[in-house]
Amino acid sequence: MKTIIVTGASGLVGSEAVHFFCLKGFRVIGIDNNLRKQFFGEEASTAWNSRRLSALYPDNYIYIEADIRNREAMERIFDTYSTAIELIIHAAAQPSHDWAAQDPRLDFSINATGTLELLEHTRKYCPKAVFIFCSTNKVYGDAPNRLPLVEKALRWEIEAGHAYEKGIDENLTIDQSMHSIFGASKVAADLLVQEYGRYFGLYTASFRGGCLTGPKHSGAQLHGFLSYLMKCTMTEIPYTVFGYQGKQVRDNIHSQDLINAFYAFYRNPRKGEVYNIGGSRFSNCSMLEAIAICESITGKKLQWTYQEQHRKGDHIWWISDIRKFQGHYPNWQLQFSIEDILQQIQEENQERWVPEKTQVSV
């Protein structure tokens, strides 16, 4: 039976992958250990998603609670399914650049060492499998902040006519910039994934995502921009905007669009590839614009305050140039706009989210 392994299977991207491939009849091995709860608290727990997936797909979904850093545990999984494994989607991570500074050793061990363990077991047990890594645009550090930006009424924008007007491509340097501790650990993993493609000849790709989002995101104070913003608007939790007058811009890609990109790569893989992947010019917003959309959808006023100090290494403006990936896979197209995404987050979380009175910051 065609088998895939999904790490971080109960998270946003992982659960979307489980859903997608189970419906296509694959046997899906989901690996997770709910470290997100340890990182961000009970509100970020993915246990609800684990239960949901196991109930939805009892015939072809196998959930394994394990840590990707545990060599013996990974050995057992890869040895059991061996050459039946056709695809590894590696979505497990410590995902917050703020949290990483609290415990750099733990952050690096999960993001870098955990990735190395998975690559080694892929090379040993299923070298013909496709290995897809969820990287991040934080590998570029704050280099994008050196671009010529223009302040508009509600957002920062790149200077008209600039080479990156359609978005930032894969040629932006990753050197001589502040990455955050999280960014550095993801750089290490990203380069390993590339090297296992180039040096060992594995089918690998690093997808450098911006903001990955969707209704199954367990958004929390330190991670999950759109999900948590909508949650705060719906439940009247106070929200803090950090720096750049709230005009910082992000592109946002729905997890379903991302998994469709993974599927395109799986069907026609390449070795040691790198792709910037995100909402591009199709799906992006500033913080102020996102707040206005959330308020329009919910009919509620978000209680938010502004703090002048921005986060270290944070991007002022990021829009992905996805033309390289589209050139390789022209049948893939984005489907979900910012408005679509926020509407779906609101509709699908009405029953799960309840009013809370905790002060939070995003």
Side-chain angles (χ1 to χ4, degrees):
M1 187 176 187
K2 291 183 177 180
T3 299
I4 79 165
I5 289 177
V6 178
T7 71
S10 302
L12 170 70
V13 176
S15 64
E16 194 75 63
V18 170
H19 175 71
F20 182 93
F21 285 96
C22 279
L23 287 179
K24 288 193 175 294
F26 286 73
R27 176 171 55 195
V28 180
I29 312 303
I31 301 172
D32 206 306
N33 59 349
N34 201 16
L35 274 181
R36 192 176 177 87
K37 178 181 177 181
Q38 177 182 324
F39 300 146
F40 310 126
E42 181 63 42
E43 65 186 353
S45 171
T46 58
W48 67 276
N49 217 1
S50 296
R51 294 190 294 269
R52 181 184 71 89
L53 292 169
S54 294
L56 282 173
Y57 307 110
D59 297 328
N60 57 334
Y61 179 56
I62 301 170
Y63 173 71
I64 299 175
E65 185 171 337
D67 192 315
I68 60 171
R69 297 168 293 171
N70 186 320
R71 185 173 302 178
E72 291 73 24
M74 294 304 103
E75 186 99 36
R76 285 194 296 271
I77 295 169
F78 277 81
D79 186 31
T80 297
Y81 299 100
S82 191
T83 55
I85 302 169
E86 295 197 355
L87 171 65
I88 298 93
I89 295 177
H90 177 26
Q94 190 298 108
S96 168
H97 74 273
D98 290 310
W99 191 95
Q102 303 174 30
D103 195 337
R105 286 191 178 91
L106 181 57
D107 173 80
F108 193 87
S109 70
I110 294 169
N111 290 348
T113 307
T115 302
L116 178 60
E117 288 296 338
L118 293 167
L119 285 165
E120 271 294 279
H121 286 100
T122 300
R123 183 164 74 99
K124 180 178 179 181
Y125 289 102
C126 49
K128 294 182 180 180
V130 176
F131 190 103
I132 291 174
F133 173 56
C134 293
S135 187
T136 172
N137 60 16
K138 290 296 189 291
V139 301
Y140 298 108
D142 61 2
N145 293 352
R146 298 196 288 266
L147 297 172
L149 300 175
V150 179
E151 187 175 0
K152 304 284 188 177
L154 294 176
R155 59 157 54 201
W156 290 93
E157 259 300 348
I158 197 163
E159 191 175 83
H162 191 274
Y164 287 156
E165 187 172 13
K166 291 186 181 294
I168 297 170
D169 67 22
E170 296 82 0
N171 294 314
L172 182 68
T173 181
I174 67 171
D175 297 322
Q176 302 301 313
S177 62
M178 181 184 292
H179 293 79
S180 79
I181 297 300
F182 160 75
S185 67
K186 294 293 277 192
V187 165
D190 186 301
L191 292 176
L192 280 169
V193 171
Q194 292 182 57
E195 202 61 25
Y196 270 70
R198 292 190 172 94
Y199 194 91
F200 293 120
L202 301 187
Y203 292 106
T204 68
S206 290
F207 282 79
R208 293 173 173 172
C211 290
L212 315 179
T213 189
K216 300 301 186 293
H217 209 176
S218 295
Q221 178 178 354
L222 296 180
H223 184 254
F225 161 44
L226 285 187
S227 171
Y228 208 68
L229 180 63
M230 178 56 80
K231 181 177 182 179
C232 288
T233 309
M234 290 170 65
T235 59
E236 301 178 1
I237 299 174
Y239 188 98
T240 302
V241 175
F242 288 98
Y244 304 128
Q245 293 78 55
K247 299 178 182 182
Q248 55 269 54
V249 170
R250 301 288 183 271
D251 67 349
N252 293 262
I253 184 169
H254 193 291
S255 52
Q256 186 173 320
D257 283 338
L258 182 64
I259 299 305
N260 276 311
F262 290 174
Y263 186 58
F265 182 84
Y266 158 72
R267 295 184 69 186
N268 186 20
R270 304 163 73 97
K271 296 179 179 180
E273 269 297 354
V274 173
Y275 297 110
N276 285 357
I277 198 78
S280 71
R281 284 291 181 183
F282 180 78
S283 175
N284 66 84
C285 62
S286 71
M287 181 67 75
L288 292 179
E289 290 166 345
I291 290 171
I293 296 169
C294 286
E295 291 179 338
S296 175
I297 289 172
T298 62
K300 295 184 177 182
K301 197 76 174 173
L302 177 68
Q303 303 173 39
W304 68 278
T305 55
Y306 177 71
Q307 184 171 314
E308 185 63 37
Q309 182 59 50
H310 62 79
R311 290 168 167 171
K312 288 184 177 181
D314 203 14
H315 295 155
I316 303 172
W317 180 90
W318 179 277
I319 289 178
S320 307
D321 184 346
I322 60 175
R323 287 178 294 175
K324 177 183 176 183
F325 184 79
Q326 288 179 319
H328 290 174
Y329 303 96
N331 291 329
W332 176 83
Q333 299 292 330
L334 291 165
Q335 302 296 321
F336 295 89
S337 68
I338 288 291
E339 291 79 7
D340 295 333
I341 293 167
L342 284 170
Q343 185 73 52
Q344 197 177 75
I345 290 172
Q346 188 261 353
E347 289 174 356
E348 294 195 21
N349 288 284
Q350 289 277 13
E351 294 183 7
R352 194 163 65 89
W353 290 343
V354 295
E356 300 171 21
K357 300 300 181 182
T358 307
Q359 173 66 45
V360 299
S361 306
V362 173

